[in-house]
Amino acid sequence: MNPNVQPSVSLFTDEVLTERQICDLAKISPRTAQRLRQDGSGPPYVTLSPGRIGYLRSDVINWLLSRRVASTSAATVRAQRGSRSA
């Protein structure tokens, strides 16, 4: 374990989900999950071993909650802000 990284309590008590499980939970395709991971806009993930990743359930839930919008106009503003940073 990296001594410079302070582990979160949730890391040891939270359920680790597979990509398929987060796709089911978030109602997204595996390709979308991969794209979100590659561009950094998806939920944080953990590297379990070379070629194997997992997601903490609480991170996925928090990521979903952070994407809530109150109206379609708020969603439009969010999308426009996101496209400017690309």
Side-chain angles (χ1 to χ4, degrees):
M1 179 179 269
N2 183 340
N4 298 322
V5 175
Q6 294 298 318
S8 166
V9 172
S10 66
L11 182 63
F12 301 107
T13 60
D14 213 349
E15 180 181 8
V16 177
L17 304 176
T18 65
E19 182 179 276
R20 170 53 43 208
Q21 289 172 310
I22 72 129
C23 290
D24 291 343
L25 180 65
K27 309 295 188 232
I28 59 175
S29 71
R31 182 64 194 119
T32 296
Q34 293 162 4
R35 180 181 50 78
L36 293 170
R37 189 171 57 250
Q38 288 173 345
D39 71 18
S41 63
Y45 64 93
V46 270
T47 303
L48 302 171
S49 65
R52 185 163 169 83
I53 60 159
Y55 297 84
L56 297 180
R57 178 180 288 279
S58 62
D59 285 341
V60 176
I61 300 290
N62 288 332
W63 174 76
L64 287 169
L65 291 173
S66 75
R67 300 179 58 80
R68 289 180 3 173
V69 293
S71 68
T72 54
S73 61
T76 302
V77 169
R78 171 186 226 143
Q80 290 171 345
R81 286 183 184 153
S83 67
R84 284 187 209 140
S85 61

